Amino acid sequence: MNLIVKRIVIFAILFQTGIVFAQWNLVGNNLENFGWHIQLAMSNSNTPYAAISSGIGIKVFELEGGVWTEIGDFPGINTGTVALEFNSLGDLFVSYIFIDFPEHRFKIKKYDGTNWTSLPDSPDFLGPDTRNLEMVIDSTDNIYMGYAIGSNVRVKMFDGTNWQDLGGNIGVIQSFIDAISMAVDNNDRVFIFYNNANDTQDSGVKIWDGIDWEFYGPSFEFPSQPGTALTINPENEPVIARENLGNISWEIYEFDGQDWIQLGEPIPNTTAGAIDLCYNNSGTLFFANYDTVQQKTIVSRYFGGSWDPIGEPFGGHNLSSGIDLEIDSLGVLYVSNVLDANTGAVYKNDEFLNVNSVNLENFIVYPIPANNEIQIQSESQITGIKVFDEIGREVLVKYDGENITSLNLSKLNQGIYFIQLTSVYGSQKIKKILKE
């Protein structure tokens, strides 16, 4: 068997054993009766919350004991979009655009863990065609609301007492959901990213300088559909995702201080709108998008200069704004998914737990080359070990409720093996060894 064929066989077997590709699991029960738009937020204690709108009301849920428990119900005609965020004090905020014909207003509700209170509505009526709701909160708990009136992008800020407009009209977009995204960096700099499919010179990332909105780096030179995503990288610079109409693909860019640098090759795309980006605490970037051909959600990891899908596509029919990607402090990924017009769901994946959370990077396997036994030292408990031969066959398995510190290899022939270690946290690492 030549080297190329051998690698293909190993890849296929590892895929089947689940070592390379992790699975997405449904979190709790489906969220019934609501399903136009779903947003997630993670508390400081790593408890997931979900807000769902149906156009006739907003509901908020908390994951408690593995079940989604309703904690808020706000009936009323709205635009079908909702935003959900925590502030620095641990208070949860849900915002939406309430329709008071023929005008619209912002509504914001605050949850302190026990009770809901209403913040003052935006004092002026918004336009009758208000869409594209985004909400971010800085470290001093100022709330920034991004939206579009028709095709005009605007931002309002609520400082806990008063509402104020920031800079008037920022730019022009098509009137689609998810045509704008916002983010706040570690220095409380506020960014907004929007697409104008009709004018490439008026599409890009802008930053609020305290007086006006200014382009952050050059504007984009290729046309795009409305789907946008914006996050902040570990260097405190923005990273964006947008659709390139020229090759029908998602492209992800990060700002290097002077220009926008593309990350990896374009990701094939079949739809616009349902995308998101985020980093975990270890600095790994993840991208979620919806594939209309498979009618499934796909999450990819940026690794080694390329985008690698994580697990199999999952979920079901997804409306244009049904994806939100969140990561808790341990590194568990959560993705919201709109299954149909009446049902929402949340999936999770714990394959990429943060190094600092589980300390599984800090392990030693010795001696190498090995004889009849190897010793294992790790800062986290190792509760499971699988050994695979050079072509991917499972040849040895050991599970223990307590920490595994050694493994007997006397029944194995000489050769190259791959050892998969599983920590008490569920994270996995693979180590290559040679047995003499």
Side-chain angles (χ1 to χ4, degrees), residues 109-287:
K109 309 288 186 180
K110 182 178 78 170
Y111 182 65
D112 62 7
T114 304
N115 299 309
W116 288 95
T117 55
S118 296
L119 277 63
D121 295 345
S122 53
D124 54 329
F125 282 116
L126 308 175
D129 189 23
T130 304
R131 295 286 187 274
N132 313 94
L133 178 64
E134 283 282 304
M135 176 173 64
V136 294
I137 304 176
D138 68 17
S139 65
T140 62
D141 295 334
N142 293 316
I143 300 174
Y144 298 86
M145 306 291 294
Y147 62 102
I149 298 180
S151 59
N152 296 313
V153 180
R154 307 194 69 172
V155 174
K156 289 183 182 290
M157 185 190 76
F158 182 72
D159 62 8
T161 304
N162 300 307
W163 287 90
Q164 59 179 296
D165 284 310
L166 297 188
N169 289 335
I170 300 171
V172 177
I173 61 171
Q174 290 192 47
S175 185
F176 285 90
I177 292 175
D178 283 351
I180 60 175
S181 297
M182 295 186 70
V184 177
D185 74 4
N186 295 329
N187 296 324
D188 282 341
R189 298 186 301 173
V190 182
F191 296 89
I192 188 167
F193 170 45
Y194 62 93
N195 277 328
N196 181 356
N198 297 318
D199 184 356
T200 59
Q201 299 305 310
D202 193 28
S203 296
V205 176
K206 287 188 175 181
I207 183 172
W208 175 248
D209 63 8
I211 299 175
D212 204 353
W213 294 92
E214 300 291 342
F215 271 112
Y216 196 76
S219 59
F220 294 105
E221 297 180 353
F222 54 84
S224 174
Q225 282 290 347
T228 65
L230 170 65
T231 190
I232 304 297
N233 69 14
E235 289 74 40
N236 213 33
E237 294 289 357
V239 177
I240 63 98
R242 72 196 303 259
E243 183 186 20
N244 186 332
L245 286 179
N247 57 22
I248 314 299
S249 64
W250 296 116
E251 296 183 344
I252 293 88
Y253 293 82
E254 70 174 357
F255 192 70
D256 67 355
Q258 293 183 329
D259 204 351
W260 294 97
I261 306 301
Q262 186 171 336
L263 300 179
E265 293 296 319
I267 299 173
N269 171 41
T270 56
T271 186
I275 61 172
D276 203 7
L277 282 168
C278 68
Y279 281 87
N280 67 7
N281 290 344
S282 297
T284 302
L285 178 61
F286 298 88
F287 173 70

Side-chain angles (χ1 to χ4, degrees), residues 94 148 159 235 241 245 298 301 306 340 387 393 406:
V94 60
D159 62 8
E235 289 74 40
L245 286 179
I298 300 172
R301 173 184 62 149
S306 63
D340 56 47
V387 180
R393 294 176 300 189
S406 63

Side-chain angles (χ1 to χ4, degrees), residues 16-75:
Q16 294 174 353
T17 60
I19 295 176
V20 176
F21 292 93
Q23 297 301 312
W24 292 91
N25 299 308
L26 182 67
V27 178
N29 50 298
N30 285 339
L31 301 166
E32 303 290 345
N33 301 321
F34 278 70
W36 281 15
H37 191 213
I38 179 169
Q39 290 286 287
L40 301 176
M42 200 65 57
S43 73
N44 292 333
S45 61
N46 290 331
T47 299
Y49 290 77
I52 307 181
S53 96
S54 69
I56 59 172
I58 306 292
K59 289 191 176 184
V60 183
F61 298 85
E62 175 187 13
L63 187 66
E64 183 178 3
V67 177
W68 290 105
T69 302
E70 183 181 311
I71 60 171
D73 184 3
F74 310 109

Side-chain angles (χ1 to χ4, degrees), residues 56-120:
I56 59 172
I58 306 292
K59 289 191 176 184
V60 183
F61 298 85
E62 175 187 13
L63 187 66
E64 183 178 3
V67 177
W68 290 105
T69 302
E70 183 181 311
I71 60 171
D73 184 3
F74 310 109
I77 304 298
N78 62 81
T79 60
T81 58
V82 63
L84 191 68
E85 293 287 341
F86 278 95
N87 70 0
S88 64
L89 301 177
D91 297 321
L92 180 65
F93 293 81
V94 60
S95 65
Y96 54 99
I97 300 173
F98 177 73
I99 299 177
D100 184 11
F101 290 107
E103 304 290 348
H104 299 46
R105 285 187 187 273
F106 282 134
K107 294 278 189 181
I108 301 181
K109 309 288 186 180
K110 182 178 78 170
Y111 182 65
D112 62 7
T114 304
N115 299 309
W116 288 95
T117 55
S118 296
L119 277 63

Side-chain angles (χ1 to χ4, degrees), residues 336-350:
S336 64
N337 193 264
V338 174
L339 301 181
D340 56 47
N342 296 306
T343 309
V346 178
Y347 295 81
K348 77 172 183 177
N349 184 300
D350 60 6

Side-chain angles (χ1 to χ4, degrees), residues 262-390:
Q262 186 171 336
L263 300 179
E265 293 296 319
I267 299 173
N269 171 41
T270 56
T271 186
I275 61 172
D276 203 7
L277 282 168
C278 68
Y279 281 87
N280 67 7
N281 290 344
S282 297
T284 302
L285 178 61
F286 298 88
F287 173 70
N289 69 293
Y290 177 67
D291 187 310
T292 54
V293 174
Q294 301 183 69
Q295 293 193 350
K296 300 287 184 180
T297 296
I298 300 172
V299 179
S300 302
R301 173 184 62 149
Y302 186 63
F303 181 76
S306 63
W307 291 97
D308 299 325
I310 300 172
E312 292 292 319
F314 59 94
H317 175 73
N318 205 315
L319 301 180
S320 63
S321 55
I323 286 181
D324 189 23
L325 181 60
E326 293 284 337
I327 302 181
D328 70 14
S329 64
L330 294 177
V332 180
L333 280 73
Y334 293 83
V335 181
S336 64
N337 193 264
V338 174
L339 301 181
D340 56 47
N342 296 306
T343 309
V346 178
Y347 295 81
K348 77 172 183 177
N349 184 300
D350 60 6
E351 179 69 12
F352 300 96
L353 297 182
N354 296 320
V355 171
N356 294 334
S357 300
V358 300
N359 295 317
L360 195 51
E361 289 288 345
N362 301 322
F363 71 91
I364 300 174
V365 176
Y366 67 93
I368 298 177
N371 292 313
N372 290 327
E373 188 175 71
I374 56 172
Q375 305 297 318
I376 303 167
Q377 292 182 356
S378 173
E379 293 184 14
S380 62
Q381 291 189 16
I382 303 299
T383 57
I385 299 178
K386 289 184 178 181
V387 180
F388 299 86
D389 65 16
E390 194 174 6

